[in-house]
Amino acid sequence: MNVTAWKRLFIALLHAPLLILLLVPAAAQAADATLDPRLLPGGKADLPFLQQELERLSAGRPTLVVMPAMPGAGTRLPGLDVLETRTFLTATDPFGLEPLDGASRVLLIGSAWAVDAAAEALADQARGRGIALIPLAVDVYAEPGNAILQDADAALILALPEFDAAAQRGLFARLTDAGVPSVALTDARQVERGALFSSPGALDVEAWLRRVALRLDDIAAGRAPEAIDSRPELSRSWLNLETAARLDWSPSFALLSRSRLLGEAASPTASTLSLGQAVALALADNLGLAAARQEVDVEAFGRELAASRYRPNLYLEATGRLIDETRARAALGQQPERLASGGAVLEQLLFSEPALAAIEIADSLDRARRAELEVESLDLALDVSREFLDLLRLEASRAVLEADLELARAQRDQAVRGEAAGAVGRGEVARFEAELAQARERQEQVVADRERLKIAVNRRLGRTPAASLAPAEPDLESLEWLGGDARFSEVLDSPESLAAWQERLVTAALRDAAELEALGELRHAVQRELTSRRRAFWLPEVGLEARYTGELYRGGEGARAPWESPSPVVQLGVGALERAGLSLPETGGDQWSIGVSARLPLYAGGRRSIERDRAAARLEQVALEDAEARLGLEARLRAASVELVAAWRRITLREEAQGHAQEALKLAEVAWREGALPQVALIDARTSARQAGLAAAEARWLALQALVHLQRALGMTPGPMEAFARDRLLMSAATMERRGEGR
């Protein structure tokens, strides 16, 4: 090896350590922290969102970079040893959910390192319901066997941080194909990937990641992170309607109304939409109702603000004083002085009638707002139901008018052939042409009305206005719409049975109406305010104050009292006074005090009297509103019940009238063709048949509209009724007595 080769080898050996030294700081800087991905519901897929939160929190500081760590390693956060703690898993009872009701064998599916601990945590709940809970560890390389899936009634799914979205879809498709409904316990996003629905206590993943990011940011800033002592939960479960359809499982209306709906069935393009699904979509996704819910959450802080007056008030204060020579000479006996002092003050309210009243009033107003939110939800459900039924009515009318249009066209064509044969004159052809144009106009108007109403319904459902909408017709013969219910037939028997039923409905409505509940809470708030205004004349406000003050600096000729002068003559006199038992105070030093104060204003410009009189007037106003609401509620309920009974009876009558009108039209057509009936009589017969057809088509939907109005007046969510809802609507006298005794 020559000299040049030796030099190159030496340079290469020298460069390697230098390169390592240069790369190590960069690598260390890039990986400021490591975190076990198993502590995130989505595993490594959640790291980008976590990094975005850290960038937002850094606020100009160098952003902490989080890298995935090996299982069991990485940054330790207090309270975050495992993702699914025992407390989190048992906070809600997953075995009481609809698909698991009555199940005997339930799979618990999760990663190998988490499934056994979760099975132990849920064992008592499963045993209490007689359910065999079977832990099943899965990984991305092995799918559950057919034998174990065929024996299972349902599956509980833990977080699967090691599975990406595609792997999760494959797992849920396997479960669905085997007919096993799956419930996501931790990560509701699994519902988007094919799980049936999520537990009501599932993690709010974004809120969870924000909490983790806050702790990591504390570590990056050198602060001690707070422990994660609570798990943010979603406000409602998620439900995949497409998976439910594949499983041939029909969720209850109650579950539909309180869940976030996912899948094609939630926003169908070609599939039909039932009335129950439409109401559930509106309650879940209507922006106006969401804003009302948010307003209730915002106003709920009013109670905390009212209660904050009874919490200690601690603050610091500082005082500075400067007496210059000019002002000291202008004053009598003062010297130039500079003084700076600081102190801490603790104030605690002991008794305040306005503060106590504010807390009670805030509680009542919060309950009133929540009752008003329920009223708004019921009104929205009623609007959606009414417009949905109007769509069906227009669709039925369109079918009748299209048949009438075809008939008018056939009669026009026949008249044209008769004119060519010389059997009829031009006048009859022109009359049929006019009838055809009018039939086309009626049909086009109904189509336009339907499109306009479809846009309005889509808006209430939180969908795009142009989305397709195919409403499914309710079955009036089914029990959920009172069809075939013997109790409803009893109501229709006689005026006496109808009157007795109305009395029972009025009693129940006046007892349970959310509108009256809101007014009752508002009345309680105003009464408490009036009581507080009256007590304000003679009840004082009592408080405690603790104060500590210390001098920070004192200087100048007047910084000390005259008897503190260092002059021997002055000190000789001070000593003589002290020996005589008279002590002189020292200048400066620390001072503290504690005291209780009572405060009672004597005159405030008449404001207290005005506030008292205003509260009394407001109480009278609320009482009048309550009386008016009771009368209006009773009137609406009685009117809706009468309309329901009348509309139900009209269905049969209108169908009979339609049959007779169709028979008369056929006879008129035969007679006209034979020349035994004038054209005017034929047109009148067709008009009567069309009107009878429209009336018969509308009868079913008018009955359902009366029913949903009656449901709304009773405080029920309009829509198809389960057994307990029908019991409430068609309650007997014995049922009323039992409900009264229960209360």
Side-chain angles (χ1 to χ4, degrees):
M1 183 179 294
N2 56 24
V3 177
T4 302
W6 280 108
K7 288 182 179 180
R8 290 177 178 175
L9 178 61
F10 176 75
I11 293 174
L13 294 174
L14 183 63
H15 280 183
L18 292 177
L19 184 60
I20 293 174
L21 292 175
L22 290 174
L23 292 178
V24 166
Q29 184 178 4
D32 292 332
T34 57
L35 187 67
D36 187 353
R38 300 185 305 178
L39 301 180
L40 306 177
K44 294 180 181 179
D46 287 340
L47 287 176
F49 182 87
L50 187 64
Q51 191 65 51
Q52 292 177 3
E53 287 297 313
L54 288 170
E55 293 176 359
R56 184 179 61 83
L57 292 171
S58 61
R61 293 184 284 105
T63 302
L64 179 70
V65 178
V66 180
M67 301 293 290
M70 296 296 294
T75 303
R76 298 293 181 182
L77 299 178
L80 186 57
D81 297 327
V82 292
L83 177 62
E84 292 153 327
T85 63
R86 184 184 187 92
T87 303
F88 174 75
L89 290 172
T90 57
T92 57
D93 183 10
F95 303 102
L97 302 175
E98 289 186 16
L100 279 68
D101 188 16
S104 58
R105 294 174 60 85
V106 176
L107 298 177
L108 181 64
I109 298 178
S111 301
W113 47 269
V115 68
D116 291 334
E120 182 180 353
L122 295 171
D124 292 339
Q125 291 179 332
R127 192 178 305 111
R129 292 183 176 270
I131 294 176
L133 186 63
I134 305 169
L136 178 61
V138 295
D139 57 50
V140 295
Y141 303 106
E143 294 183 349
N146 291 330
I148 193 171
L149 292 183
Q150 291 175 356
D151 293 338
D153 298 321
L156 299 177
I157 312 296
L158 301 173
L160 298 171
E162 297 169 346
F163 282 61
D164 58 14
Q168 289 193 22
R169 291 190 184 95
L171 173 63
F172 297 133
R174 183 103 167 100
L175 292 172
T176 303
D177 292 340
V180 180
S182 52
V183 178
L185 289 178
T186 308
D187 190 358
R189 297 173 300 182
Q190 293 174 343
V191 179
E192 295 176 324
R193 297 159 188 164
L196 178 59
F197 76 104
S198 67
S199 167
L203 276 179
D204 185 343
V205 175
E206 293 186 359
W208 173 254
L209 295 177
R210 283 192 290 268
R211 292 192 182 186
V212 174
L214 284 171
R215 273 65 178 183
L216 292 173
D217 185 69
D218 287 340
I219 294 176
R223 298 185 296 266
E226 297 181 1
I228 301 179
D229 53 1
S230 62
R231 304 286 172 121
E233 298 179 359
L234 294 171
S235 58
R236 58 189 177 189
S237 58
W238 294 14
L239 174 62
N240 193 321
L241 293 179
E242 183 179 1
T243 302
R246 291 179 58 191
L247 290 169
D248 196 22
W249 178 70
S250 299
S252 67
F253 179 74
L255 181 61
L256 286 171
S257 62
R258 64 172 180 261
S259 299
R260 174 183 173 184
L261 305 180
L262 305 173
E264 292 183 0
S267 54
T269 54
S271 59
T272 59
L273 183 70
S274 67
L275 176 57
Q277 290 175 328
V279 171
L281 276 174
L283 295 179
D285 296 329
N286 183 269
L287 294 178
L289 190 59
R293 291 193 187 104
Q294 185 63 27
E295 182 180 0
V296 170
D297 294 339
V298 171
E299 295 298 329
F301 289 100
R303 202 257 179 211
E304 296 297 324
L305 288 175
S308 65
R309 287 202 61 191
Y310 267 99
R311 297 179 186 136
N313 187 13
L314 179 64
Y315 59 90
L316 300 176
E317 62 179 11
T319 304
R321 184 172 67 184
L322 173 64
I323 303 178
D324 58 18
E325 295 182 359
T326 303
R327 287 173 175 77
R329 285 195 301 268
L332 297 176
Q334 286 193 351
Q335 299 292 332
E337 182 181 353
R338 296 179 299 277
L339 173 65
S341 62
V345 181
L346 173 66
E347 295 178 344
Q348 175 62 58
L349 183 65
L350 300 180
F351 174 79
S352 173
E353 168 60 23
L356 290 175
I359 295 175
E360 296 183 30
I361 291 171
D363 284 337
S364 297
L365 292 179
D366 181 66
R367 290 191 292 269
R369 281 190 292 267
R370 295 185 185 279
E372 290 170 354
L373 178 61
E374 182 180 353
V375 172
E376 189 169 346
S377 301
L378 291 174
D379 288 339
L380 174 63
L382 175 62
D383 292 339
V384 171
S385 301
R386 187 178 62 248
E387 293 175 352
F388 187 92
L389 294 173
D390 279 339
L391 275 176
L392 292 172
R393 178 181 60 81
L394 291 174
E395 184 64 26
S397 299
R398 184 184 63 81
V400 172
L401 292 176
E402 284 182 352
D404 180 69
L405 176 62
E406 292 300 322
L407 180 58
R409 184 177 290 110
Q411 291 177 349
R412 190 275 316 269
D413 294 342
Q414 187 172 355
V416 170
R417 289 193 296 270
E419 181 189 17
V424 299
R426 179 59 188 169
E428 290 192 17
V429 175
R431 181 65 183 271
F432 280 124
E433 290 285 0
E435 286 292 319
L436 178 61
Q438 293 174 3
R440 185 182 296 112
E441 178 186 0
R442 286 190 292 267
Q443 191 265 346
E444 291 179 354
Q445 182 61 47
V446 167
V447 171
D449 291 342
R450 186 189 182 282
E451 291 300 316
R452 174 185 54 79
L453 193 56
K454 185 191 74 173
I455 294 173
V457 172
N458 278 332
R459 179 180 179 275
R460 293 192 186 277
L461 300 185
R463 307 165 69 202
T464 58
S468 61
L469 183 62
E473 295 187 4
D475 182 11
L476 274 182
E477 302 301 323
S478 64
L479 281 174
E480 62 183 6
W481 294 109
L482 302 184
D485 197 309
R487 293 170 297 179
F488 187 56
S489 300
E490 293 175 1
V491 170
L492 301 175
D493 282 345
S494 64
E496 291 76 14
S497 61
L498 174 60
W501 179 52
Q502 287 179 338
E503 291 298 329
R504 295 194 296 268
L505 292 180
V506 169
T507 301
L510 294 180
R511 182 186 59 230
D512 302 330
E515 298 94 327
L516 301 182
E517 180 184 355
L519 286 171
E521 294 294 344
L522 184 59
R523 183 173 61 251
H524 182 271
V526 177
Q527 286 175 337
R528 186 64 182 89
E529 181 185 5
L530 178 58
T531 301
S532 177
R533 299 305 184 191
R534 289 170 175 170
R535 292 175 179 175
F537 288 93
W538 52 273
L539 273 182
E541 187 175 278
V542 183
L544 172 71
E545 180 184 273
R547 182 183 298 270
Y548 169 80
T549 304
E551 287 190 1
L552 303 177
Y553 172 76
R554 178 182 287 271
E557 297 179 7
R560 294 289 180 267
W563 54 84
E564 293 179 326
S565 173
S567 172
V569 177
V570 174
Q571 291 302 314
L572 181 62
V574 171
L577 291 174
E578 291 179 348
R579 285 190 297 272
L582 179 61
S583 61
L584 299 175
E586 296 182 1
T587 302
D590 297 340
Q591 300 176 5
W592 64 271
S593 63
I594 186 170
V596 177
S597 62
R599 177 179 173 183
L600 179 63
L602 298 178
Y603 182 70
R607 184 176 65 252
R608 290 180 295 174
S609 299
I610 296 173
E611 290 175 343
R612 178 199 58 195
D613 296 340
R614 184 180 63 176
R618 187 181 294 119
L619 180 60
E620 183 177 357
Q621 176 189 355
V622 174
L624 292 173
E625 291 175 353
D626 182 82
E628 194 276 335
R630 289 177 181 274
L631 289 175
L633 179 63
E634 181 176 357
R636 291 196 304 271
L637 193 146
R638 290 183 180 275
S641 61
V642 170
E643 176 60 26
L644 173 61
V645 172
W648 204 273
R649 289 170 175 165
R650 282 198 304 264
I651 294 175
T652 303
L653 298 176
R654 290 189 176 184
E655 288 177 350
E656 292 179 0
Q658 182 185 18
H660 294 315
Q662 290 293 338
E663 182 181 2
L665 176 60
K666 291 180 181 178
L667 294 175
E669 287 180 335
V670 173
W672 177 75
R673 283 196 297 267
E674 294 176 352
L677 191 71
Q679 181 191 28
V680 175
L682 173 62
I683 293 176
D684 289 342
R686 189 171 62 82
T687 301
S688 298
R690 181 181 68 248
Q691 293 175 347
L694 291 174
E698 291 179 349
R700 302 173 69 248
W701 314 124
L702 292 177
L704 288 182
Q705 284 192 343
L707 177 58
V708 297
H709 276 276
L710 181 59
Q711 290 176 305
R712 169 61 188 91
L714 283 174
M716 301 167 56
T717 302
M721 293 177 289
E722 297 180 354
F724 72 94
R726 293 195 303 275
D727 291 341
R728 182 180 175 188
L729 182 67
L730 299 172
M731 59 181 65
S732 62
T735 306
M736 286 289 296
E737 292 176 1
R738 289 195 300 270
R739 286 172 62 90
E741 293 173 0
R743 287 181 175 271

